[in-house]
Amino acid sequence: MTLIENNKNRKLFFLNTVSSSLVIMVHEDNYVFLPYFGSKIEASDIDYIIDGITEANYMADTDNKKKFQLELIPQIYPSYGYTDLKEPAFHFVHKDGSRITDLRYKSHNIYKTKKKLNGLPTVLSNDDSEVLELTLFDELKKVEVIITLAVFEKHNAFTKSVKVINKNPSDDLYIEKIMSANIDIQESNFELIHLAGAWARECHIKRRRLEQGMQSIGSIRGASGHGQNPFAALISPNTDENNGEVFAMNFVYSGNFIISAEADMHLNTRFQMGINDFDFGWTLMPNEEFQTPEAVLIYTNKGLGDMSRTFHKLYQDCLMSNKYAYKERPILINSWESNYFDFNKESLLKLAEEGKNIGAELFVLDDGWFGKRNDDKTSLGDWTPNEQKLGGSLSSLIDDVNKKGISFGLWVEPEMVSPDSDLFRKHPEWAIQVKGRKIETSRHQYVLDLSNPEVCDYIINFMTELLSKNNITYIKWDMNRNITNLGSSYLKPERQKEQAHRYMLGLYRVLDNIVNAFPNVLFESCAGGGGRCDAGMLYYMPQVWTSDDTDAIERLVIQYGASLVYPSISLACHISDIPNHQTRRKERIETRANVAMWGNLGLELNLNKISEEDKKVITQKLEIYKSIRSTVQFGSIYRLKGLNAQNEYAWMHKSIDEETIVVNYVQICVIPNLVTKRLRLEALDSKSKYKVNDSEKLYTGSELMNIGLMLGEILEDAFAIQWIIKKVN
């Protein structure tokens, strides 16, 4: 990090990665500007960028300065109430009713090795992070704002978060809006790309032109949500996988969020990310502080593929648990689509044995193992094993499963409570509710109020007991409804708008306790599928159930979109039964298996009912997957087709040592009267030679990239092809 101080009494901070630069400028009036964010530049006196901004004809000569117009100047954290008339990054209300804040530079601190944010998931690196802390201050109201910008040089990424401290000894401060990141860009010729959808069709890529005005995406559902993912990027109109400018942000948070892009009348763009200010408020008493979650910022001029691989590498190296980031994940067989609630010990052991026989390494008992849980109408919160249904204790079932040569995992939904449960009858005040109003059910359940520390302690205690007494190596942590009737019996009336964020802080506290207490347990996040597929959860749980929709064709779209941000090792992708339980579609077992090899392959079908022929194919596919698992889970992904050609999807994984290449291709619908085509690969060494599927013929990298692999004649829908390619020299 380089600091330049010039003779104009200005400071320039150059935050440089291997290929990008973010430059901060402290103006002589102590405004903090953002003169540059883009491809790497060498440190020099570039304050001419700010001086060269011409005034507009309207609202000119502000602050009693000739040719000074604050709303035209790119800022790092714009205030509300003065001469910037665009969307502010924050909004404070003071005790006297005033709503104006005038933040000016006070001091800065530069240090190595980023610190963990208190109570929040954090991107961290011991040897690849340098931090700039900018302290801004409102002298009149005694409000201090600390902006933390961290540089991950080798990972080509930045993080940004904000801390607000009420330094006023006598007045409260009320926060109505607080963004984690603001980026001002001096152009607006962009397209906005983000991930949208719904339950069973999460993470569909949406791309549209940025027009003058405000465009935003977000969630107010109490979770990051199926509908929108906390990621967005501004991209140049020509951007594809390998070309074009990308300004990307991802929120390291699992609750309500908003991402906005405002193209103003002067063709500049303000790009923001933070906690959704809808129904949000936070009171700071004197000397109290508020810390925002952090945002990850990435710039590249090499297209969406480079952006994705940057996110993936950063998250594996600096966000996910060190224990699991580069540890091969087990192939699991989940009982849900096999049995739903209808099972006994005999059927479970038979399923576990069949799973072991075809190559599975982990048996997961899903919903229905506790209380009186024979359907979804009862017993959430009563986490006592149903010994009659399990044929004895949970420990004895686990022992018997382990004797089959397979480890044991369990489904839980700790954040929920059933109206028909002993827990709710004992503690009805623990459910999220508004006094005097009916509590709405969804899936016959309520949400526990995790803003209440007593509720969090209850979850920590029962999960600790469950994991201490049983040989459980995997937990699927589910959340099957969003939050309605938002209200807390625990919080004071004036603090009710704090509940949604306090819920997330409570959840993070719970996860921090449990995950650290049981480091050998692999946790998977699930929220009705991909309802919390976000970087915040990846900090605690190194994989996510990408979607409840296990149909192979639907999963192509979902997995393709999720891969824009989240690494393959984090995405659980299962082979399911046919007709598919969500779409009723039928695909060949080979296609279902190949699509599941996008990430962490698992099984979601009743092995006791499928044909012996399909069992044989699955056994072969699992053997193949084990041979390429490290390539898929640890390597780099290249999306070859799918962004624009919606009938074809193709992707390749390249191992860390670049010795193994795994390529998959799926054509959804048959195209009549089409001569055979070829699939060109990427990112190979042009002069090296490669062996394809153990064939005798060797191909150079230049051949595979420029001529490609023969697809052959495709005569049926949902047809999949896989190639395993080895580098020879």
Side-chain angles (χ1 to χ4, degrees):
M1 192 175 296
T2 303
L3 168 62
I4 296 176
E5 298 190 62
N6 64 21
N7 57 13
K8 296 179 183 177
N9 196 29
R10 297 174 178 179
K11 297 178 177 66
L12 284 161
F13 300 90
F14 284 78
L15 286 64
N16 284 348
T17 72
V18 290
S19 59
S20 61
S21 293
L22 193 155
V23 183
I24 304 295
M25 173 183 167
V26 179
H27 192 257
E28 61 261 30
D29 290 328
N30 286 328
Y31 289 114
V32 182
F33 296 144
L34 177 64
Y36 183 80
F37 182 32
S39 295
K40 186 174 182 178
I41 58 173
E42 296 303 318
S44 62
D45 193 348
I46 62 165
D47 61 352
Y48 59 83
I49 295 175
I50 300 300
D51 293 338
I53 296 174
T54 57
E55 62 181 330
N57 291 325
Y58 192 67
M59 290 291 294
D61 300 336
T62 57
D63 283 21
N64 296 314
K65 294 171 70 78
K66 186 69 174 175
K67 294 186 178 181
F68 186 83
Q69 195 165 344
L70 192 58
E71 73 170 312
L72 300 181
I73 302 174
Q75 298 172 67
I76 192 65
Y77 209 62
S79 298
Y80 168 79
Y82 280 92
T83 57
D84 184 332
L85 299 180
K86 295 185 289 188
E87 186 74 17
F90 63 95
H91 191 194
F92 301 156
V93 179
H94 303 281
K95 194 172 183 179
D96 61 6
S98 65
R99 305 176 308 284
I100 292 174
T101 308
D102 186 14
L103 291 178
R104 304 291 178 108
Y105 168 83
K106 179 182 178 183
S107 63
H108 71 270
N109 183 28
I110 298 173
Y111 58 89
K112 297 281 188 181
T113 310
K114 186 182 172 190
K115 303 169 186 175
K116 186 186 182 307
L117 298 181
N118 185 31
L120 289 164
T122 313
V123 180
L124 295 168
S125 174
N126 292 329
D127 59 356
D128 182 38
S129 61
E130 190 173 10
V131 179
L132 170 64
E133 282 185 351
L134 289 167
T135 300
L136 282 60
F137 196 65
D138 184 312
E139 186 62 40
L140 179 65
K141 293 299 184 181
K142 309 302 181 189
V143 178
E144 186 172 276
V145 172
I146 300 173
I147 299 171
T148 300
L149 283 156
V151 185
F152 293 81
E153 183 182 8
K154 292 182 295 186
H155 289 86
N156 195 35
F158 306 89
T159 62
K160 184 180 178 184
S161 66
V162 175
K163 181 188 290 185
V164 182
I165 306 174
N166 182 9
K167 294 281 189 173
N168 195 313
S170 58
D171 286 351
D172 301 346
L173 175 68
Y174 188 69
I175 303 173
E176 287 192 330
K177 172 183 178 177
I178 183 80
M179 293 292 99
S180 294
N182 179 95
I183 297 294
D184 284 356
I185 308 171
Q186 291 180 279
E187 57 182 296
S188 64
N189 186 26
F190 293 116
E191 293 178 355
L192 176 67
I193 191 166
H194 62 101
L195 303 174
W199 176 83
R201 48 182 174 85
E202 300 89 338
C203 289
H204 285 219
I205 295 174
K206 303 296 180 182
R207 181 172 178 171
R208 61 182 184 272
R209 180 170 177 77
L210 195 66
E211 299 287 356
Q212 183 175 328
M214 178 72 74
Q215 297 185 45
S216 68
I217 62 169
S219 172
I220 56 172
R221 306 177 70 88
S224 50
H226 300 89
Q228 303 283 355
N229 193 274
F231 154 81
L234 298 176
I235 61 178
S236 54
N238 66 327
T239 298
D240 57 22
E241 282 292 317
N242 301 309
N243 304 284
E245 279 198 303
V246 179
F247 298 86
M249 289 203 288
N250 189 217
F251 204 22
V252 188
Y253 189 64
S254 312
N256 296 342
F257 74 92
I258 190 166
I259 307 172
S260 65
E262 180 183 8
D264 69 14
M265 65 178 74
H266 306 294
L267 305 183
N268 298 319
T269 303
R270 176 161 289 173
F271 195 24
Q272 294 183 347
M273 171 178 283
I275 296 171
N276 200 314
D277 54 335
F278 174 84
D279 200 42
F280 169 82
W282 200 277
T283 300
L284 286 183
M285 305 296 285
N287 298 313
E288 286 187 341
E289 61 185 48
F290 180 87
Q291 173 66 60
T292 73
E294 69 181 2
V296 177
L297 284 61
I298 288 173
Y299 170 83
T300 178
N301 59 8
K302 298 178 182 177
L304 294 170
D306 186 64
M307 176 204 73
S308 296
R309 290 184 289 276
T310 300
F311 274 124
H312 298 173
K313 183 66 173 170
L314 178 72
Y315 287 168
Q316 277 192 259
D317 290 351
C318 306
L319 180 70
M320 295 163 62
S321 161
N322 290 335
K323 182 178 181 65
Y324 289 104
Y326 290 95
K327 181 179 180 180
E328 290 186 357
R329 307 292 171 79
I331 298 172
L332 64 83
I333 170 69
N334 187 291
S335 71
W336 181 241
E337 290 194 9
S338 301
N339 303 105
Y340 292 98
F341 294 104
D342 184 18
F343 58 79
N344 54 36
K345 186 172 186 176
E346 182 182 1
S347 66
L348 294 176
L349 291 177
K350 186 176 181 183
L351 183 62
E353 184 175 18
E354 287 294 319
K356 170 63 177 177
N357 290 341
I358 67 168
E361 300 152 324
L362 168 67
F363 172 77
V364 178
L365 174 56
D366 210 282
D367 199 354
W369 59 271
F370 54 92
K372 301 174 183 177
R373 186 78 166 173
N374 294 313
D375 54 35
D376 62 1
K377 297 178 181 178
T378 181
S379 298
L380 287 174
D382 299 342
W383 298 101
T384 302
N386 184 334
E387 295 191 356
Q388 181 178 359
K389 194 172 184 180
L390 298 179
S393 69
L394 179 61
S395 291
S396 65
L397 172 66
I398 295 172
D399 289 342
D400 288 342
V401 169
N402 292 158
K403 289 174 184 176
K404 304 289 185 183
I406 191 168
S407 58
F408 185 89
L410 197 65
W411 175 95
V412 293
E413 194 173 7
E415 299 166 65
M416 302 293 154
V417 63
S418 300
D420 182 11
S421 67
D422 292 338
L423 179 66
F424 183 72
R425 285 184 282 271
K426 183 178 181 181
H427 288 291
E429 77 281 4
W430 281 8
I432 287 178
Q433 59 190 286
V434 177
K435 186 176 181 180
R437 301 284 186 186
K438 177 185 176 183
I439 313 177
E440 292 178 338
T441 58
S442 176
R443 201 173 179 261
H444 309 288
Q445 60 196 57
Y446 302 148
V447 185
L448 288 172
D449 182 6
L450 271 65
S451 71
N452 184 342
E454 192 175 4
V455 176
C456 296
D457 291 340
Y458 156 76
I459 297 174
I460 292 169
N461 290 337
F462 91 71
M463 285 298 301
T464 298
E465 182 178 8
L466 179 68
L467 293 173
S468 297
K469 291 183 176 180
N470 298 286
N471 185 25
I472 297 169
T473 62
Y474 161 100
I475 287 288
K476 181 178 180 181
W477 185 293
D478 211 342
M479 180 199 186
N480 273 313
R481 63 158 291 181
N482 291 133
I483 299 176
T484 58
N485 300 97
L486 192 62
S488 173
S489 302
Y490 169 76
L491 295 174
K492 295 178 180 179
E494 65 272 18
R495 297 274 185 171
Q496 292 296 312
K497 280 194 170 185
E498 299 178 8
Q499 186 184 12
H501 182 57
R502 287 191 182 275
Y503 182 99
M504 292 313 308
L505 294 177
L507 175 61
Y508 289 150
R509 177 187 156 228
V510 167
L511 296 179
D512 197 49
N513 272 271
I514 296 170
V515 169
N516 287 327
F518 299 96
N520 295 321
V521 176
L522 173 62
F523 288 85
E524 178 173 304
S525 170
C526 178
R532 278 199 307 219
C533 179
D534 58 66
M537 295 307 289
L538 283 186
Y539 178 80
Y540 304 98
M541 303 187 181
Q543 61 190 54
V544 62
W545 180 224
T546 321
S547 176
D548 279 345
D549 191 338
T550 55
D551 175 72
I553 298 304
E554 290 299 314
R555 270 304 188 103
L556 288 170
V557 189
I558 294 167
Q559 292 166 191
Y560 189 103
S563 75
L564 282 188
V565 188
Y566 307 109
S568 297
I569 194 171
S570 70
L571 305 178
C573 310
H574 292 184
I575 305 170
S576 62
D577 216 337
I578 55 171
N580 179 266
H581 290 200
Q582 289 77 42
T583 66
R584 312 308 296 169
R585 189 182 278 126
K586 299 179 181 180
E587 297 108 347
R588 300 164 70 241
I589 188 64
E590 290 84 358
T591 299
R592 287 177 276 150
N594 286 9
V595 172
M597 291 192 201
W598 190 300
N600 294 329
L601 184 144
L603 303 171
E604 201 83 20
L605 40 69
N606 193 335
L607 296 174
N608 298 319
K609 294 183 178 179
I610 65 173
S611 68
E612 290 300 318
E613 182 179 350
D614 277 357
K615 281 185 187 179
K616 183 177 179 181
V617 173
I618 293 174
T619 302
Q620 294 169 345
K621 288 291 186 180
L622 296 192
E623 289 176 358
I624 291 171
Y625 182 72
K626 289 175 183 178
S627 73
I628 62 172
R629 177 162 43 185
S630 63
T631 297
V632 170
Q633 296 182 2
F634 309 151
S636 303
I637 190 169
Y638 295 81
R639 295 177 294 264
L640 305 176
K641 284 183 179 290
L643 184 63
N644 299 312
Q646 295 301 314
N647 194 45
E648 298 175 289
Y649 284 81
W651 63 99
M652 60 173 268
H653 287 92
K654 181 170 68 171
S655 63
I656 293 176
D657 62 10
E658 302 188 354
E659 298 292 317
T660 303
I661 313 294
V662 180
V663 181
N664 281 283
Y665 173 89
V666 179
Q667 182 171 300
I668 298 173
C669 295
V670 169
I671 301 174
N673 194 28
L674 182 70
V675 297
T676 189
K677 302 296 182 182
R678 290 182 175 272
L679 177 67
R680 288 185 286 187
L681 308 187
E682 295 179 10
L684 305 182
D685 183 80
S686 61
K687 295 181 179 179
S688 293
K689 293 184 178 179
Y690 296 85
K691 178 178 286 191
V692 179
N693 287 346
D694 292 323
S695 66
E696 293 298 320
K697 179 175 174 52
L698 299 180
Y699 300 86
T700 64
S702 60
E703 287 178 273
L704 293 173
M705 290 189 290
N706 293 293
I707 300 173
L709 298 166
M710 176 75 77
L711 294 177
E713 191 174 20
I714 298 175
L715 299 176
E716 61 181 276
D717 292 343
F719 189 81
I721 312 171
Q722 184 178 78
W723 299 268
I724 298 175
I725 302 170
K726 295 287 187 178
K727 189 176 182 181
V728 176
N729 61 17

